[in-house]
Amino acid sequence: MAAGLSAKVVYSRLSDQGAGAELGSGSATAFALDAGFLYETPWRRLTLGGALTNLGPNISYIDAQQSDPLPRNLAAGFAYRVWDSPYNKFTLIGELNKELVSLG
């Protein structure tokens, strides 16, 4: 079993001018965390993995009432080594992704 965690700073710039009567710089900064795991199962040829990405506060350009969520995502997958010889390898992989729009 292996696990990982990463942190990142998100900087986004949309426009130099606000829309209508709104004033602001059109840029925003936020932070986010990613977490994942990799599990080599007792069946030697099968590996499972998963990740949660962009976990953090909403990003705000003008004010907190108009903040937008980061594109949070949940991913799960597998890799199955069908054929593994010194000269040839064949691996079957699959992945499922779910966008987490209501989290946070």
Side-chain angles (χ1 to χ4, degrees):
M1 177 82 148
L5 184 67
S6 69
K8 57 187 162 186
V9 175
V10 178
Y11 174 77
S12 177
R13 183 171 177 175
L14 294 179
S15 173
D16 290 335
Q17 301 172 355
E22 294 178 340
L23 299 174
S25 66
S27 63
T29 305
F31 69 92
L33 297 174
D34 297 342
F37 75 93
L38 191 62
Y39 176 64
E40 292 192 23
T41 67
W43 301 283
R44 289 181 160 180
R45 296 176 179 251
L46 180 64
T47 303
L48 303 175
L52 277 167
T53 59
N54 290 330
L55 300 174
N58 291 347
I59 192 164
S60 176
Y61 293 94
I62 304 296
D63 56 43
Q65 287 74 29
Q66 298 182 42
S67 63
D68 297 306
L70 294 173
R72 297 170 182 102
N73 191 57
L74 171 65
F78 73 91
Y80 183 76
R81 292 185 304 274
V82 177
W83 189 6
D84 194 356
S85 72
Y87 300 105
N88 297 296
K89 296 178 191 247
F90 179 69
T91 305
L92 180 66
I93 60 169
E95 180 180 7
L96 296 172
N97 277 290
K98 173 66 176 149
E99 188 175 357
L100 304 174
V101 291
S102 63
L103 183 64

